[in-house]
Amino acid sequence: MKKNFGQVAGNVAIAAAASFCCVVCTPSTGQAATVKAAPSTQLPSMVAYVRNGDVYTSKGSTEQRLTTGGSHARPRWSPNGKQIAFLKKGQLWTMKADGTGQRRLSTRPAAGPSWSPDGKWLAFSSLSCNGGPGVYSIPADGTKKEKVLFPRDCRTEALPAETEAAKSVAKELKSDNSVAWSPDGVQLAFRGGDCESIYDSCLSVGDVKTGGEKTVAAFGGGGVQNSGFAVVPSWRSDGAKLAFTAYQEGETATESKPVHLVEYDAITGAQRTIGNAMDRELDYVDASRAVVTSQNAGTTWVTVVGLATGLRTPFKTGEQPSVQPVVR
């Protein structure tokens, strides 16, 4: 049986990890405000993150709450750092960096979005014509309807009915189907793809123009004696590295790995595990640091991690971090 991130988190009884599916998090109350937080590391730009279903931003000692009412997830900064794409009740929205100007782009049910490098398009995951996860794009200004990017064969097919897509999102897409547009605009990383005709679960990198796909990680089937998943991809700003959250159940206990982070070399294909067990949802700060969702004293925290040193600094309580690009 396939497992997604939310299921595994529940199985290991990590209370904070249960909030991973923030589309259905417990709503919080109150008005948007800037509040004083505990002293923490200072970063060169803002980090957007989710706490109790609402979006916050911070770069150090203070934080600002951008949304209220819960049901928000997967904030992602635009390339110029002036906007944030996010999910609200499972649909794609954008807002300005200060939380104003909130606008829904599509009524099609969506999973974790990603901006094109020029800031003109947003990619997101939703039900494809073949019944699995697919990738769509939509103009960031909302002037046109969404179109299919992957699978390639669905580009000429009618879009699935939004009611059917809503059923799929409610089951699975809300928790683990984020996508990531490469910094050069040429590729998209996403869960699923053509590789799902061979494997039970997989992560792909696809060519935006041609629709061709390459399998980055695979679990179950095709001679692979394991089960698991690879989800929530994130590119380093130079496009040389792709990080993702993974989980594996092997044939033996020694072959099994709890939820963890993998860094994939886009040039050589080499992979390495980074961070601690139960770290997830990495986004790069720069070539030497990243922010991740981690566990700290039984609570879910955004933590700054040194990629070479392993040095860890708790940043803010929350999850699903996204780092604001430093525009020079």
Side-chain angles (χ1 to χ4, degrees), residues 14-16 294-301 303 314 317:
I14 301 289
S294 69
Q295 301 303 311
N296 182 30
T299 304
T300 302
W301 276 75
T303 298
T317 55

Side-chain angles (χ1 to χ4, degrees), residues 12-255:
V12 297
I14 301 289
S19 65
F20 176 81
C21 301
C22 270
V23 177
V24 291
C25 282
T26 303
S28 56
T29 59
Q31 300 300 315
T34 300
V35 298
K36 195 72 175 177
S40 62
T41 187
Q42 190 76 11
L43 294 176
S45 62
M46 292 287 187
V47 176
Y49 49 95
V50 174
R51 182 190 303 138
N52 295 326
D54 278 307
V55 179
Y56 294 74
T57 58
S58 177
K59 60 189 290 187
S61 60
T62 62
E63 65 178 13
Q64 184 175 10
R65 183 176 179 175
L66 303 187
T67 68
T68 60
S71 300
H72 301 88
R74 296 282 173 229
R76 290 293 181 266
W77 287 99
S78 63
N80 64 6
K82 296 181 179 180
Q83 295 186 82
I84 298 173
F86 63 101
L87 302 180
K88 180 178 181 180
K89 297 182 179 179
Q91 295 179 338
L92 179 61
W93 289 62
T94 60
M95 61 183 167
K96 295 180 181 179
D98 62 0
T100 62
Q102 296 185 16
R103 179 178 61 173
R104 185 175 63 184
L105 293 189
S106 173
T107 57
R108 180 166 297 278
S114 181
W115 296 81
S116 63
D118 60 9
K120 295 181 179 180
W121 297 84
L122 279 159
F124 64 94
S125 182
S126 191
L127 183 70
S128 73
C129 71
N130 61 19
V135 182
Y136 293 72
S137 67
I138 190 169
D141 60 8
T143 56
K144 296 180 182 178
K145 298 291 287 183
E146 61 274 352
K147 66 177 183 180
V148 177
L149 294 179
F150 301 98
R152 174 174 51 195
D153 293 344
C154 290
R155 293 183 176 183
T156 57
E157 300 293 326
L159 301 185
E162 290 186 3
T163 53
E164 291 301 312
K167 294 178 183 178
S168 176
V169 169
K171 290 180 179 179
E172 186 175 25
L173 299 185
K174 65 187 178 187
S175 61
D176 57 18
N177 270 35
S178 295
V179 303
W181 214 313
S182 65
D184 61 6
V186 174
Q187 301 179 98
L188 267 163
F190 56 96
R191 191 183 78 79
D194 293 339
C195 52
E196 285 202 331
S197 64
I198 302 173
Y199 304 104
D200 294 336
S201 182
C202 52
L203 183 73
S204 300
V205 171
D207 186 290
V208 175
K209 183 177 181 179
T210 67
E213 298 179 16
K214 177 175 65 175
T215 303
V216 171
F219 304 86
V224 177
Q225 302 300 315
N226 63 8
S227 62
F229 54 74
V231 295
V232 196
S234 175
W235 294 93
R236 201 170 73 182
S237 61
D238 60 2
K241 304 289 186 181
L242 175 70
F244 53 87
T245 301
Y247 169 82
Q248 177 173 300
E249 288 185 9
E251 290 186 293
T252 66
T254 57
E255 296 174 332

